[in-house]
């Protein structure tokens, strides 16, 4: 059985053990566990057969500009077409718009298989997926009817254009301006960090773009536009590809700087409401980055384990060397990698089911609870999805030793590709601020309370079978609750809060990890996962306290002088 | 003042605050603090002026094979000549052999300046330095007289050839064979991972090589040889460059596979004693890897801080954006990076002074104590030097955000270059085994006892000024002592020990970090370092407990099944 198929099976088993999924099935009689497993199996087949063959070439050959247009590596266009035809680009879009009407959960369950295969190529799919959602929510009927089905089938493509040279995390400093021109609009400005900002896979690319339509400062003057790179007749709109960034990794994803010079544009939604309108899509993109980290981590685990089963070193010098997988320290390394990876997998499924239930629970109060809980989990999944992908890739290099440092093995590419995941779609610092100032302070701890209630309920249910772990986890949740009270008390001291925010985010991830690690030992899951549970729980409370201690540092330390300069 | 000069000044101040250095000055009346500061200042000038300009080109252009020989990037040969002429290649070699007769401590103090400038290029210097030491200790008088002065001045170069395709960490599986031929020897076999295994910087390269001379299994049949790539008349010895490895980083250091096909060789030292003879040199190379990590970390800190002082984002949207260095979370990130870097700097100086005092304390018992303490510290400095370099480089990327992920800034190269440091010269796993099975079990805890005595004495002395930190640290040392007793009790269960060894190594680094972080706050050091002390101490005991908890996992968990396969 291939590693992809094994990953699909493991995901299906975990999905079945996720309470939110059980509830979702009750609300969606058209779905069941077998259907989910079949979809996962097919995703594994396509990921391995169609997408994975692109990965090494994507990295080695990369993308280049020829005659002002971006050329992608051989095989991209065909693979993109196959993803579109198979319905993989917009699984969760409504059927009326060319999607499959599946829950976000199935999208999030399948996506790591594709990301594992080639994260760089899948950046194009991610943009299409985000644009479908955005257009579905805010585009007028004609625009939606024109674009969404074509994006869903891969006939056309899309990008999301937010950043500018002076507007990265600080979106409110966007300078690109939109002006009325006849019935429509034109857009002028420079956008950077545009993934697949241009390419040769589809005849048309729609840029979803934030531009300034008023003089209100900050984000209030921003509106959302669709700016196609060509008109329907194929003639070019006024957009120039300025360069492709030279990056550490993701060479197979052309990160473009684009100049818009009076380009024709269609307003999406209401003027001045650009940023709030983007939010739902940004949430989906943050879930998506977690899937990227998970996909790469999954592949790195399997590469490390397979290498360790083959590579022979050590043992009695008078006898043939033993596979390094026989050495306790090598086993520890791999079990540790797997434990981190499988905890992340459960966390993503938990989050995705909450996002689905927020949309389809009939009782609005219950739906709102799911929404608050999902908003609370999202910065955690976003940040630690990315960090876990990078960390597990780095650990895989360590297992392979010198070999892992060479291009003979895919783990060095995994390391390079994943380093950006905790930067784009909101850096760690932005996630930490969101988690503290919006989820805790502004939402008055609603998401936190829901987390504690859900985790405590599951712990109580596990108490009879897993008394020791359950008790330890209840204690950890208590510590987290106390720390959260301390963080709440910083509400009137935003600078102290900002200083503590990173530690608080990490402490929260420990608490969430504990819950998911307990779930790994659920009787319905395959036995090996229970062993991983113990690996992940060991030292977790101490890890939590290390982060908590940093939350408690005096705020004055932020103004300490630096060692040099 | 340049960042290099600031780093030199900071190093000089820390050196002056290192007790072992004070003792060394008492034993070496020819040296004083001013001389050390002057040498550091000159090293900074050469590193910045001569070596640093090579770094970007080393990475971009790399090395290639032309007509069977390795070509290095433009400027390498001239820079190597300047290092040799300036006496930087063998500062600590005896003057009789063309060295400067300086303590290892000054070598270790200066080296991070050069590594910061271009770690890849400095791999050549590292090999020459190691070979000088090796030949000084084991070569016959004629060989020593022929080679050492020329290596010290950079006229000739050298390599260290240990690994083979089936002999990495498991040195005892070396297959390369040496055979007697007339008065001398010939060597036949394949060696891999040879840094600067060939190049065009010097007319002659001497390969220091382990080969099998007897039928004793494992390491007992290994002897040490010098295998020059050319004879004195310039004719070629039977050595072929098979390839340069394609690596994640260190592109400016040609990592060669070499085939020896009956190559003429000179025996170094006693037959069958190859590996023990290598040990002193391996110790020096492990210290050297710690300096590599420190050098790159130092540069990454300064790049991040300088970027953060320039890059403007955030603040009141109606006003110009503020430098991101004004944000508490960005300050935290940089202070944290600096704290980790400066603790490592103090640790390296502590270790290097112990290595010097082991050689020059007149009382053999005192000298032996220093040797035991240095042997105890070495795996810690080796491993966490490398890990800190990589970790701080990664944190620097985070501060720079998207920019840090591009080749416009040097931090992505720093990340790539440093990933190998905790792999070569003994992986983390090898260091952890050395630390547990040799330093604790075999040496009966001698190095540990010396560490505890020294650290406790310094803590007691700091108690009046730093009561809180001193008390917390005394507590941490107590925890470490208890954990060490538990680890000692595993002596008869090597597999349980191996499983715990990584956690124990990390716990020990926490204990050592605590001691060095306390020293950062020494009144004689510049004030900013005291602030870093608080940053590093926060949560350290909890971090220790997280590692300790993993040491205490049941050994049976090592045999747990994997998630897949």
């Amino acid at each position: 059985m291939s590693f992809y198929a094994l990953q699909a099976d493991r995901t299906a088993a975990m999905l079945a053990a996720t309470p939110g999924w059980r509830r979702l099935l009750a609300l969606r009689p058209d779905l069941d566990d077998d259907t989910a497993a079949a979809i996962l199996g097919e995703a594994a087949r396509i990921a391995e057969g169609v997408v994975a063959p692109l990965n090494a070439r994507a990295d080695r050959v990369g993308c280049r500009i020829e005659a002002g247009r971006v050329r992608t590596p051989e095989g991209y266009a065909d693979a993109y077409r196959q993803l579109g035809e198979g319905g993989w680009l917009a699984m969760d879009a409504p059927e009326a718009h060319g999607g499959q009407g599946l829950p976000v959960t199935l999208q999030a369950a399948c996506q790591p298989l594709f990301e594992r295969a080639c994260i760089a190529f899948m950046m194009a799919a991610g943009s299409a997926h985000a644009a479908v959602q955005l257009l579905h929510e805010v585009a007028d009927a004609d625009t939606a009817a024109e674009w969404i089905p074509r994006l869903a089938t891969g006939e056309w493509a899309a990008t999301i254009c937010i950043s500018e040279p002076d507007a990265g995390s600080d979106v409110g400093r966007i300078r690109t301006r939109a002006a009325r021109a006849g019935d429509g609009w034109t857009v002028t400005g420079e956008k950077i960090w545009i993934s697949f900002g241009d390419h040769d896979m589809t005849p048309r690319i729609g840029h979803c773009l934030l531009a300034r339509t008023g003089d209100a400062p900050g984000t209030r003057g921003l509106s959302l536009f669709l700016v196609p790179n060509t008109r329907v007749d194929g003639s070019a709109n006024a957009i120039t590809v300025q360069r492709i960034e030279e990056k550490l990794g993701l060479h197979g994803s052309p990160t473009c700087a684009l100049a818009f010079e009076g380009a024709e544009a269609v307003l999406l939604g209401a003027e001045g409401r650009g940023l709030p309108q983007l939010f739902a899509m940004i949430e989906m993109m943050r879930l998506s980055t977690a899937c990227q980290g998970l996909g790469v981590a999954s592949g790195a685990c399997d590469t490390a384990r397979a290498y360790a089963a083959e590579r022979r070193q050590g043992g009695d010098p008078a006898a043939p060397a033993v596979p390094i997988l026989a050495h306790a320290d090598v086993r520890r390394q791999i079990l540790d990698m797997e434990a981190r990876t499988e905890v992340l997998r459960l966390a993503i499924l938990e989050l995705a089911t909450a996002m689905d239930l927020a949309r389809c629970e009939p009782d609005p109060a219950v739906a709102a609870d799911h929404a608050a809980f999902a908003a609370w989990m999202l910065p955690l999944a976003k940040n630690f999805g990315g960090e876990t992908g990078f960390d597990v890739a780095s650990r895989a290099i360590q297992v392979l030793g010198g070999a892992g440092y060479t291009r003979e093995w895919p783990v060095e590419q995994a390391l390079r590709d994943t380093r950006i995941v905790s930067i784009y779609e909101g850096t760690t610092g932005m996630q930490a601020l969101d988690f503290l100032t919006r989820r805790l302070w502004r939402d008055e701890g609603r998401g936190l309370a829901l987390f504690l209630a859900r985790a405590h309920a599951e712990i109580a249910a596990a108490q009879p079978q897993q008394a020791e772990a359950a008790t330890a986890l209840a204690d950890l949740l208590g510590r987290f609750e106390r720390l959260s009270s301390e963080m709440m008390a910083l509400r009137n001291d935003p600078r102290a809060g900002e200083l503590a925010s990173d530690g608080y985010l990490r402490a929260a991830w420990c608490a969430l990890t504990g819950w998911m690690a307990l779930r790994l030992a659920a009787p319905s899951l395959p036995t090996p996962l229970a062993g991983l549970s113990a690996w992940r729980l060991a030292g977790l409370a101490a890890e939590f306290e290390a982060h908590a201690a940093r939350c408690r540092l005096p705020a004055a330390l932020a103004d300490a002088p630096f060692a040099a300069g």
Side-chain angles (χ1 to χ4, degrees), chain A residues 26 250 305-306 312 355 362 367-368 380 540:
Chain A
L250 285 191
R305 202 182 49 252
R312 291 173 175 271
M355 289 168 85
L380 297 171
L540 192 61

Side-chain angles (χ1 to χ4, degrees), chain A residues 80 83-84 86-92 107 122 124-125 128-129 132 151-154:
Chain A
Y80 197 73
L83 286 192
W88 301 105
L89 293 175
M91 292 170 67
D92 54 338
Q107 154 75 24
M122 290 302 294
H129 182 245
V132 162
L151 291 176
T153 54

Side-chain angles (χ1 to χ4, degrees), chain A residues 72-414:
Chain A
T72 58
E74 192 191 328
Y76 263 42
D78 185 55
Y80 197 73
R81 187 185 51 74
Q82 289 192 58
L83 286 192
E85 287 175 4
W88 301 105
L89 293 175
M91 292 170 67
D92 54 338
E95 290 175 88
H97 275 146
Q100 297 196 59
L102 292 169
V104 168
T105 302
L106 280 179
Q107 154 75 24
C110 292
Q111 192 186 335
L113 291 157
F114 292 107
E115 302 294 354
R116 167 189 183 136
C118 183
I119 173 173
F121 167 75
M122 290 302 294
M123 295 289 290
S127 296
H129 182 245
V132 162
Q133 191 198 359
L134 187 64
L135 295 172
H136 173 61
E137 286 178 10
V138 301
D140 60 82
D142 286 353
T143 305
E146 183 187 10
W147 281 86
I148 297 179
R150 292 186 173 87
L151 291 176
T153 54
E155 189 182 337
W156 294 351
T159 77
I160 310 295
C161 304
I162 303 176
S163 296
E164 300 180 5
D166 293 320
S169 294
D170 191 358
V171 179
R173 298 196 186 268
I174 282 176
R175 290 186 192 164
T176 295
R177 293 203 71 90
R180 287 185 188 278
D183 289 347
W185 296 76
T186 61
V187 163
T188 300
E190 190 190 351
K191 291 288 178 182
I192 60 171
W193 309 128
I194 314 306
S195 299
F196 282 85
D198 190 41
H199 57 78
D200 51 8
M201 303 192 296
T202 60
R204 213 168 176 213
I205 303 168
H207 301 292
C208 302
L209 172 147
L210 273 187
R212 197 162 286 287
T213 45
D215 293 327
T219 58
R220 280 176 296 142
L222 299 176
S223 304
L224 203 55
F225 293 89
L226 177 68
V227 191
N229 71 331
T230 62
R231 299 182 191 85
V232 182
D233 65 12
S235 63
N237 201 352
I239 306 170
T240 316
V241 184
Q242 298 186 297
R243 65 176 183 279
I244 298 175
E245 307 290 349
E246 287 191 54
K247 310 187 297 296
L248 171 60
L250 285 191
H251 298 319
S253 168
T255 305
C256 299
L258 300 179
F260 296 82
E261 290 149 341
E264 294 167 19
V266 179
L267 180 69
L268 297 174
E271 223 182 302
R273 297 285 303 157
L275 199 61
Q277 287 170 351
L278 263 185
F279 267 134
M281 185 218 70
I282 287 175
E283 283 178 8
M284 205 57 77
M285 288 185 88
R286 288 181 176 173
L287 172 64
S288 176
T289 59
C291 295
Q292 293 180 318
L294 175 59
V296 177
S298 303
C301 285
D302 291 339
T303 301
R305 202 182 49 252
Y307 179 89
E310 291 292 324
R311 170 71 174 166
R312 291 173 175 271
Q313 285 282 275
D316 177 358
V322 299
I324 62 170
L325 198 54
H327 299 304
D329 182 63
V330 175
R331 296 187 74 87
R332 175 196 64 75
Q333 293 181 61
I334 295 170
L335 288 162
D336 197 352
M337 290 161 61
E338 288 191 342
R340 289 166 195 272
T341 302
E342 301 311 329
V343 158
L344 175 61
R345 198 180 317 279
L346 282 177
I348 286 174
L349 296 174
E350 177 69 22
L351 168 58
T353 54
M355 289 168 85
D356 275 320
L357 293 170
R359 296 172 182 203
C360 68
E361 275 288 358
D363 179 341
V366 175
D369 273 356
H370 283 297
F373 174 66
W376 182 87
M377 263 197 83
L378 195 59
L380 297 171
K382 195 282 166 185
N383 189 64
F384 297 101
E387 289 194 7
T388 301
F390 178 75
D391 176 52
V392 171
S394 185
R395 289 169 189 261
I397 290 177
Q398 194 69 29
V399 171
L400 272 68
Y405 194 64
T406 71
R407 301 200 141 198
E408 296 286 308
W409 291 88
V411 285
E412 65 86 28
Q413 180 186 345

Side-chain angles (χ1 to χ4, degrees), chain A residues 485-544:
Chain A
S485 299
E486 293 173 50
M487 292 299 104
M488 190 61 109
L490 293 180
R491 214 167 174 175
N492 297 317
D493 188 349
R495 191 163 171 87
E498 187 188 334
L499 186 67
S501 60
D502 180 80
Y504 184 53
L505 188 78
R506 292 178 193 282
W509 177 246
C510 288
L512 181 60
T513 290
W515 178 22
M516 292 300 123
L518 187 75
R519 190 177 291 173
L520 269 181
S524 70
L525 285 174
T527 319
L529 298 177
L532 299 184
S533 174
W535 273 104
R536 197 61 199 92
L537 288 172
L540 192 61
E543 217 177 290
F544 172 91

